[in-house]
Structures are given as C-alpha cells and as structure tokens.
Amino acid sequence: QGYSHSSGLGINDNSAFRPGVYLNFNVQSSAQEWKEESKRICSIKTTNAVMNNVYNGYALRSGNLHHDPLEDCKTSNQSSLYSVRERMAPNSLANRHANMELAKHHVTSPTAGAVSALTSAVNYDIKPLNRSSGSEVEIQWPNGSKIDASLPNIHQVKKGLQFDGKADGYDEVELECTAKTVVNDDIKLPNRPSDSEVEMHWPNGSEIDDSLLNTGKVKKSPKIRKVKKSPQFNDLAMDGYNEAEHECIAKTALQPPPAKAPLSEEAKEARKALATIYDKVLVVDTVESARSVVQLLTTKYKSFIHACDTEVSNIDVKQETPVGHGDVTCFSIYSASSDAEADFGNGKTCIWVDVLDGERDVLMEFVPFFEDSAIRKVWHNYSFDKHVIENYGIKVAGFHADTMHLARLWDSSRRLDGGYSLEGLTNDSRVMGVVPKELQKIGKRSMKTIFGRKKIKKDGSEGKITTIESVEVLQREDRELWISYSSLDSMSTLRLYESLKSKLEKKHWTFDGCPRGSLYDFYEEYWRPFGAILVKMETAGMLVDRAYLSEVEKVAVAQRKVAADKFQKWASKYCPDAKYMNVNSDTQIRQLFFGGIENRRNPGEFLPKSRALKVPNDVNTVTEGKKAPKYRTIEICSIVEGLKPEVFTASGWPSVSGDALRSLAGKLKTDLYTTEDAEDDEYVSDSEISVDDVEDATSYGTAYKAFGGGKEGKEACYAIAALCEICSIDSLISNFILPLQGNRISCKEGRIHCSLNINTETGRLSARAPNLQNQPALEKDRYKIRQAFVAAPGNSLIVADYGQVC
C-alpha cells in the first residue's frame, strides 16, 4: 500500500544515558504489517535490553543470543495496546488498528512502550563475564514489572565514549563520556557470526577493541573505579521527537592517590630480611583451615609451649583501655617444645590467622585453644592481648608466662637502658644470648622502621614526619610482609621466654637467709599468679559515678571563672587591656609582672616594657562595617617595678609557675573565692582584705612590698592568689574530673579500666590511663573527687592501707 512508518522511543536527560532507537519498515498488507509491527516493537525492547547489558559490561556474542519475539505477543492483553499507543506516533499501525480484533492478539507487552531508568556501576577491577548460550537477563521496567528474556541477536551496535585520558594510574576517576547508540532503521534479526565485536572509540580516535566486552584484546584501559549512569525517561521521546541521535554525559570524581615517599635503605634491608619468614608461616583464613589447625593444637601439640600475639586496630593504645576497645585483625601462634617445633605441614612452623577478612567465625574456631587451661600460653604484655581477645566473648585461660614480667624480674633497671619492649629485649645480646641462625639476621623491628614513610609536602619533597598506614591497609595491601611482621612477634616471644627462663633459673632465690630455689621458681609461685590477678582487676574495673563528676565539673568551672574575673579586674586597673588577657598564658603573665627585666642567662637581653599580643576575640569587638575578627590585638604592659623573681626558667626568664606565683601571693586562705562573688563588681571586696582574714603581715608574699604595701599590696597578693587558684582548679579538672568521665578509659557499664603494671625498681605497682593511685589527697580534695568512686548495688568498698598491716 506504499505505507511507510517510523516510530521512535528514546530517553532524554542532561546527565544520563539516553539510547535512541529508530526503525523504518515498508508494510505491504495488514497481515504482513502486523507481523512486521511485532518485530519492530520486539526490536525496540531487545535493543534497550542489549544496551543495558552493554553498559553493565556483559559480553555480547551473536552465537549466544536467542529470543522468540512471538512469545511476548502470546501473553499480551488488551490493555497493553493502549500503553504502547500512547508512546507511538498517531499514524502508527497500533493506533490505526486499535479497534481491530487482530490487534487484541498481536500487541506487545507494555514494556515495549517505555524505557527504564538504567543505573550501573563499573568497578576498576572489572573482570570479563562470559554468558552461556541462551542465558537470561532480568530487566526492570518503570512500572515495576519484570521481564525475563534471552538476549536476541543484534545486527550492529556502536558505542562512542569521550574520555579525558587522565585516569590511567588513578584510584578514582573523573571522566566525561558521551555515549551514543545508533540502531539503523534497516535492522534485521539474522544470526551474526559468533564472537562478533563491538567497537569503542576514545576521543583521540584510538580504539579499544573490546576491553569491556570480553574479547580479551585490551590495548589500553584506564582504571575506572566507579561510573554511574541514571537516565530517566523523558516525554520528548514520544510523538514528534525525531532527532536521530541522543547523547548522555556520565561524570564521576577524579582524585589522584596520595604520593608515597621511597623507603629508606634501612627499611629496604629490614623488609628483605623479614620476607624470609613468610615461607615458614601457615596462613589460616577460612573456617575449614582453622578447624584443622585447632585440632593439631589441642591434641598433637597440646603439651607444647605456645607463644601468642595479636594485632589490633581502632584503638589508641596510649589513651584507650583495651577493655571494650580495639578490633583484632590477626593473630599468630608459634608452638615448640624443648627440642622441637610444631609442624603444620610443608615446613610451616608458625600459624597466622586472618580475622580481618576471615571475620569472627575464623576467630571463634580457636575458642577450644584459648579457653583450655591445660594448654600453656606465653605472651608479651599479656594483659593487652587477653583484653582484646575477651572483647569477643572468649575467656582466655592457660596463662603460663608474660615475658615483660620475666624481664623486669631479671633486671628492674632496664627502663632507661633498653626498655622492656619486644624489640628492645630481643635485639639485646645481654638478654637473648645465643640466637638461632634463622633469626640472627632478622631481629624484631618496629612498625615505623618496616612500614613507615616520610610524609610528602605540597611541593613534592619529603617532610620530616614519618607516617604509617592503618593496620587494615597494611594487612591487605602489603600482605606478605605484614604476615611476616606479625608472625615474627610470636616467634620472638617464645625465644625471649626461653632465654629469660634460662637466666632466671641460674639466679638464686633466698628468703630470710634460707634458699628457696631459683628466681624462676619465685616467678611461678608469686609473680605469675599475681600477674593474672592484676589482669582480672583491670577487667573488673572501678565503678564511677559520672553524674556526680559532671556536677563537680560545673562547680569547678564556675569557680575558675570567678577567680579569673577577679584577677583580670584587678590587673586592668594598672593595664586596661589586661581584662582581655589569657590567664593561662605564661607569656602574658610574665609580661604583666616582669616587663623590662633582664634575662638571667643572657645578660643584655631584656623583656620589653610593653608588648602587643593577639588573643581570641571573645567579646566580639567589631569595627563598623566589618565582620567580627577571630582575634584581637591587646597591649600588655608591666604593672609593677621592683618585683624580684625567685624562680627562673631554663631559658633565663622569670618563672610564673604555680609555686612561683604562690611565693608572690603568700600564704593566704584559698577558700575566699566562691561562686557567689561572681556578682561582685569590685575586684577585691573590703572584707577580703580585712585584718580578720589574715593572721599577720608575714602571710603576704613578695608582691605586698612591690606594690607599696597597705591596701594596694594586699589587693595585689589576693589577686595573685586568685591566679594560683586558677592553676589548682585547672589541674583538678584536667587530671581527675575530665579523665574519669572519658569513654576511652571506661566501658558501657561506666567502670574505669586502668592499666596496672609491675614496672618500678622498688617493686611497687604503677597505674596509668588513668592513674588511680594518684587521686587527690583527702586534705586537698576540695571537690570531693574521691566520692565519685562507688560500689555497685549490693556491694561495699573496703579501704585498707599498707601502713596498717602488721
């Protein structure tokens, strides 16, 4: 009949994928016309499905694509026709034959009338995916319906990408690409030869034959970390939209990786020696391998000595307690008897367990090993490792020795002579004696030596600061060396144990003139059980009333403000800008009291009489028409002459420490400053300097005479006493009130978990993070901080003192 029809479906979006499909058919009869119309609509759906797979990285091979277009027609219904008609040109065949009975049986699925919004992500480590013949692809259409269909054979697909060419070698890529899809109007559905290629072009004209389409002939492909495409259907794709091509632009972020400084020669040599350990290590990263290893540890090698060591992330070891903090990323176990090493197969004598990627299940397979009290385990710093393992609900038993305690028992003076670290002990010939040949050239090295690199400055040069990647990064990216490094810890721990045990067995233990055995016998009888008790004490912790401490903090801060205001008001009488000064600044206080004085160490060098200093603009002083600056400049001048300092700093300037200020103020009462005084406008009230408030003139310090004596001298002494109060309050807040409320040293139960150590030359315990042995003395505990330590409900606290033990 000479009828010619063109129907178009497309997607229009400014930043999304927009394929356009245009088909032309010549229809000779109604029956033939409907047949061709069915093929046309199936082609529309097929092409969009194909392009969806193209952009998701699937390989398109004609020999693997099969589809029966009539299958969609058989399951259609009457309502499908109108869904298609709405998106077709008015003169389309589906519209002209809307009322014909034939149309009821030959319309297509509504999915042919719309193109879904496509979204895909391409990772930088894309691997080609071969799809088997007749494989199915699930397509999600806008109305939520799904259609499963085998991919049909296609005639030709061209895909053009415009790329900025800057991604090669980058972890993250920012690119702009223009994707064009053209399906010629003479599309037919004959089978294409197997392994037919899809051609891709970059802007410079170079070809990438098939890097994304699984033909294995990649000439050059940048590392693409993520490409996101989210086109949306646009009404312009309906009737009257006749453009021949549609374009989309996909953008992602491009960021170069941080530059890394080269390794030092020392690091290269250490890494080379350390790498020799790897062949002796059995890597355990699956539940099955863990199960078989634990079977050996709990049966065949149960009587051996097992040295254990963990590596932990997400913890600041200097500030945080390991109780409730830290994640185990891996651990190693090295087992040996007096004359043999454990053999885990193929010469593997040490096991290394991956908890980071093997996850919790691998760790939990070792519960029978860790909780068996009959299996003897040796550690270096037992308390830390025990805490982090018990964070996973495992009750560690079988504690046999802590090499740190053994070293302190052998030599308690090493704190300033080599220390007690695993590195310091194992590299000291005085400690280790004869080292096995396989470990002579290795030696324990610090993480900083092995993995540290100088930080790169903005200009590309090396800085002075050495940085180390996180434990997770090292374990994944420098895996073999990290395995060797962490495995060496357990190996070195067992060798250190054997050496220290030998040395202690040679030393005699005498009590009250009677020989009791060797020092190792002393360790087994006293220090080993004592070390276990200390760890239990750390685990139990001490309950603290945080609500009480919070109220105490408010009172302390308020009293500090009162004292600061009193001093600033008094000082501003002599130096107007002193009301803005920082009362915690030694520089400003020294300028205020000792301006013009000569340096004791460098004669001829003087402090200036007056000095301009920057301070925070707390009062929001604003110049008209300008924004309030963050800082303001004040002028601090000397307010007194003839004030003789009694204490000097190492640099030769007068000291303004707490003790130095107390000598200026004298022995005045410190309870004169209360929060009620905050409303007093006078810097010092008359009652504060009355005769009744001080016993005699000898209670005043050297500032009394320097400021002329009388009322002026008394005011000066009381003002400086207020400054001393600020120092005292700051000390209580920073050393006791705030740390006891911190989450770093406590767990969810509100209990404080400090670290208890046997590391003093006198044999006494020390405590840190926090130091619970150094709480304020009763007579100096002005805020009753000791009352914050409470017993849990149903329990009581018992206070005892060594001096009362007879």
Side-chain angles (χ1 to χ4, degrees):
Q1 298 176 359
Y3 169 72
S4 178
H5 168 66
S6 176
S7 62
L9 293 178
I11 296 177
N12 181 24
D13 185 70
N14 290 332
S15 60
F17 171 55
R18 298 172 295 177
V21 180
Y22 302 93
L23 308 174
N24 290 321
F25 291 92
N26 293 321
V27 182
Q28 303 300 326
S29 65
S30 296
Q32 180 67 20
E33 186 175 2
W34 274 112
K35 181 179 179 180
E36 297 298 321
E37 188 76 353
S38 299
K39 290 183 178 180
R40 180 190 307 117
I41 296 174
C42 288
S43 297
I44 294 171
K45 181 180 68 174
T46 296
T47 302
N48 287 315
V50 169
M51 291 312 302
N52 188 11
N53 285 278
V54 168
Y55 275 86
N56 280 281
Y58 290 103
L60 301 181
R61 301 176 184 271
S62 297
N64 295 338
L65 306 178
H66 303 283
H67 181 65
D68 184 3
L70 295 180
E71 288 298 318
D72 295 318
C73 301
K74 295 176 182 178
T75 58
S76 304
N77 53 43
Q78 178 70 24
S79 61
S80 302
L81 174 63
Y82 297 99
S83 178
V84 177
R85 289 173 57 215
E86 290 177 358
R87 302 180 187 275
M88 289 187 170
N91 62 344
S92 66
L93 183 64
N95 280 318
R96 291 191 292 115
H97 294 277
N99 297 324
M100 294 175 58
E101 187 66 17
L102 183 62
K104 298 180 181 179
H105 303 287
H106 290 82
V107 295
T108 64
S109 167
T111 54
V115 181
S116 64
L118 308 177
T119 302
S120 66
V122 181
N123 292 328
Y124 67 91
D125 57 349
I126 290 176
K127 297 180 179 179
L129 301 175
N130 290 321
R131 298 191 59 82
S132 59
S133 178
S135 59
E136 292 186 346
V137 177
E138 183 177 276
I139 304 173
Q140 185 75 38
W141 300 100
N143 59 6
S145 63
K146 298 180 180 179
I147 178 166
D148 296 326
S150 301
L151 294 175
N153 296 305
I154 63 172
H155 177 67
Q156 185 177 6
V157 178
K158 290 186 178 179
K159 178 180 178 182
L161 299 178
Q162 294 181 359
F163 185 66
D164 62 3
K166 297 180 181 180
D168 198 13
Y170 286 72
D171 288 336
E172 300 241 350
V173 179
E174 169 133 15
L175 61 89
E176 286 195 6
C177 70
T178 302
K180 300 181 180 180
T181 303
V182 179
V183 179
N184 295 332
D185 59 357
D186 58 346
I187 284 182
K188 298 179 182 180
L189 298 177
N191 291 329
R192 288 183 57 82
S194 180
D195 294 335
S196 57
E197 296 183 355
V198 178
E199 205 171 70
M200 301 175 64
H201 293 270
W202 298 109
N204 58 8
S206 62
E207 293 184 3
I208 295 184
D209 293 342
D210 38 26
S211 61
L212 295 179
L213 300 176
N214 197 33
T215 58
K217 301 177 182 178
V218 181
K219 293 184 178 179
K220 182 179 180 182
S221 58
K223 295 181 179 179
I224 302 178
R225 183 176 180 84
K226 184 178 289 185
V227 179
K228 292 185 177 180
K229 300 181 286 296
S230 54
Q232 298 178 354
F233 188 81
N234 191 293
D235 290 337
L236 291 177
M238 296 185 185
D239 298 345
Y241 187 57
N242 295 320
E243 289 187 15
E245 288 186 347
H246 307 286
E247 297 183 358
C248 72
I249 297 177
K251 296 183 179 180
T252 57
L254 182 144
Q255 292 181 353
K260 290 184 178 181
L263 293 168
S264 64
E265 290 301 321
E266 180 186 7
K268 290 179 181 178
E269 293 179 3
R271 290 166 72 96
K272 182 179 179 180
L274 185 61
T276 60
I277 295 178
Y278 183 75
D279 292 336
K280 301 177 183 180
V281 180
L282 174 64
V283 176
V284 178
D285 53 7
T286 64
V287 172
E288 291 74 17
S289 59
R291 197 168 294 155
S292 61
V293 166
V294 172
Q295 178 67 22
L296 290 173
L297 291 173
T298 55
T299 54
K300 183 178 180 179
Y301 301 125
K302 185 173 183 176
S303 61
F304 282 30
I305 303 295
H306 306 273
C308 309
D309 184 78
T310 63
E311 301 295 342
V312 183
S313 64
N314 301 324
I315 185 172
D316 183 347
V317 293
K318 293 184 179 180
Q319 300 292 333
E320 293 179 311
T321 172
V323 180
H325 297 87
D327 300 318
V328 176
T329 63
C330 64
F331 64 90
S332 60
I333 301 174
Y334 180 66
S335 308
S337 63
S338 58
D339 57 355
E341 295 177 317
D343 186 359
F344 298 99
N346 298 323
K348 309 291 186 181
T349 59
C350 180
I351 64 171
W352 180 86
V353 184
D354 188 349
V355 181
L356 179 63
D357 295 319
E359 298 182 349
R360 187 186 183 101
D361 291 341
V362 175
L363 173 61
M364 300 311 292
E365 287 296 323
F366 284 82
V367 170
F369 168 77
F370 285 122
E371 294 189 345
D372 192 336
S373 59
I375 299 178
R376 296 173 294 176
K377 306 172 187 72
V378 175
W379 315 77
H380 187 79
N381 194 7
Y382 166 63
S383 65
F384 179 86
D385 292 314
K386 183 177 187 292
H387 290 321
V388 294
I389 293 176
E390 290 193 340
N391 289 340
Y392 292 82
I394 302 173
K395 300 300 180 182
V396 179
F399 171 55
H400 185 65
D402 186 338
T403 51
M404 190 177 289
H405 291 172
L406 290 174
R408 284 168 178 156
L409 182 59
W410 175 67
D411 184 358
S412 62
S413 63
R414 283 187 58 88
R415 188 174 64 86
L416 300 177
D417 184 17
Y420 296 96
S421 68
L422 188 58
E423 179 186 2
L425 290 167
T426 54
N427 284 294
D428 192 336
S429 59
R430 296 173 299 175
V431 180
M432 295 301 292
V434 179
V435 180
K437 292 182 179 180
E438 65 271 15
L439 297 179
Q440 285 179 358
K441 294 183 179 181
I442 301 174
K444 171 65 181 173
R445 299 292 184 89
S446 66
M447 284 183 63
K448 186 177 181 180
T449 300
I450 302 294
F451 302 104
R453 294 176 184 266
K454 294 293 185 181
K455 191 174 182 180
I456 299 298
K457 297 179 180 179
K458 292 182 179 180
D459 60 2
S461 61
E462 292 186 19
K464 295 181 179 180
I465 300 175
T466 300
T467 60
I468 304 175
E469 296 282 5
S470 67
V471 171
E472 296 94 335
V473 172
L474 293 176
Q475 185 165 323
R476 285 175 173 147
E477 297 185 1
D478 209 348
R479 187 171 179 82
E480 289 192 8
L481 200 65
W482 177 257
I483 291 173
S484 301
Y485 169 82
S486 55
S487 298
L488 182 59
D489 283 353
S490 58
M491 292 181 179
S492 299
T493 298
L494 189 58
R495 299 303 181 193
L496 178 61
Y497 162 75
E498 293 171 346
S499 178
L500 290 172
K501 178 184 177 183
S502 175
K503 292 181 180 298
L504 290 173
E505 286 177 338
K506 296 176 182 178
K507 287 194 173 185
H508 298 290
W509 169 29
T510 303
F511 182 73
D512 286 342
C514 300
R516 297 287 299 272
S518 67
L519 273 184
Y520 188 75
D521 295 326
F522 172 83
Y523 174 79
E524 286 189 318
E525 187 171 346
Y526 291 106
W527 269 36
R528 183 164 68 194
F530 185 51
I533 290 174
L534 290 179
V535 175
K536 290 181 179 179
M537 291 172 61
E538 293 175 356
T539 303
M542 187 71 194
L543 186 61
V544 172
D545 188 347
R546 291 193 177 191
Y548 173 78
L549 287 173
S550 178
E551 293 302 318
V552 166
E553 180 185 353
K554 294 177 183 177
V555 174
V557 171
Q559 290 189 356
R560 183 193 183 284
K561 186 177 186 306
V562 169
D565 289 344
K566 285 184 177 294
F567 176 79
Q568 289 172 330
K569 289 179 181 179
W570 168 79
S572 63
K573 185 175 76 169
Y574 301 94
C575 175
D577 278 356
K579 60 183 176 181
Y580 305 118
M581 70 178 293
N582 178 5
V583 294
N584 288 102
S585 171
D586 289 355
T587 300
Q588 296 181 34
I589 294 173
R590 184 180 295 110
Q591 181 64 45
L592 195 69
F593 288 129
F594 301 107
I597 198 170
E598 185 177 14
N599 188 292
R600 187 176 185 178
R601 186 175 179 179
N602 301 316
E605 184 179 357
F606 295 86
L607 278 177
K609 283 280 188 179
S610 180
R611 186 176 179 183
L613 299 166
K614 282 188 176 182
V615 297
N617 189 20
D618 296 331
V619 294
N620 291 327
T621 302
V622 183
T623 304
E624 186 175 353
K626 295 184 178 180
K627 185 179 179 180
K630 187 176 181 180
Y631 296 95
R632 62 174 298 170
T633 301
I634 62 174
E635 191 78 18
I636 299 296
C637 59
S638 176
I639 61 175
V640 62
E641 293 183 3
L643 184 61
K644 296 181 179 181
E646 297 182 1
V647 185
F648 291 84
T649 65
S651 59
W653 298 115
S655 173
V656 288
S657 63
D659 292 337
L661 292 175
R662 290 186 187 94
S663 67
L664 298 179
K667 299 179 181 179
L668 300 178
K669 293 182 180 181
T670 58
D671 57 352
L672 300 177
Y673 305 97
T674 60
T675 54
E676 287 77 7
D677 294 328
E679 298 178 357
D680 189 1
D681 292 334
E682 296 294 331
Y683 45 85
V684 180
S685 63
D686 292 337
S687 60
E688 288 177 343
I689 60 173
S690 64
V691 178
D692 296 335
D693 288 333
V694 294
E695 295 179 358
D696 52 52
T698 58
S699 298
Y700 295 111
T702 55
Y704 179 78
K705 291 184 179 179
F707 281 88
K711 183 178 179 180
E712 297 292 329
K714 293 178 181 180
E715 288 177 352
C717 290
Y718 275 106
I720 299 174
L723 197 59
C724 294
E725 283 296 283
I726 295 173
C727 297
S728 177
I729 294 172
D730 284 343
S731 176
L732 292 173
I733 291 175
S734 60
N735 294 331
F736 304 105
I737 298 176
L738 290 180
L740 292 177
Q741 298 180 73
N743 292 326
R744 290 186 169 187
I745 58 175
S746 63
C747 294
K748 297 178 181 178
E749 298 82 7
R751 304 183 74 88
I752 300 298
H753 303 275
C754 73
S755 176
L756 299 171
N757 307 290
I758 311 174
N759 59 356
T760 63
E761 293 189 31
T762 60
R764 291 187 177 186
L765 291 178
S766 68
R768 67 175 184 84
N771 186 357
L772 295 183
Q773 297 181 173
N774 189 32
Q775 296 305 299
L778 291 174
E779 64 274 9
K780 297 180 180 180
D781 191 6
R782 61 188 297 170
Y783 297 118
K784 309 300 180 186
I785 295 174
R786 287 173 173 252
Q787 293 183 10
F789 297 96
V790 296
N795 295 274
S796 299
L797 290 179
I798 299 176
V799 180
D801 191 285
Y802 284 122
Q804 299 171 358
V805 178
C806 298

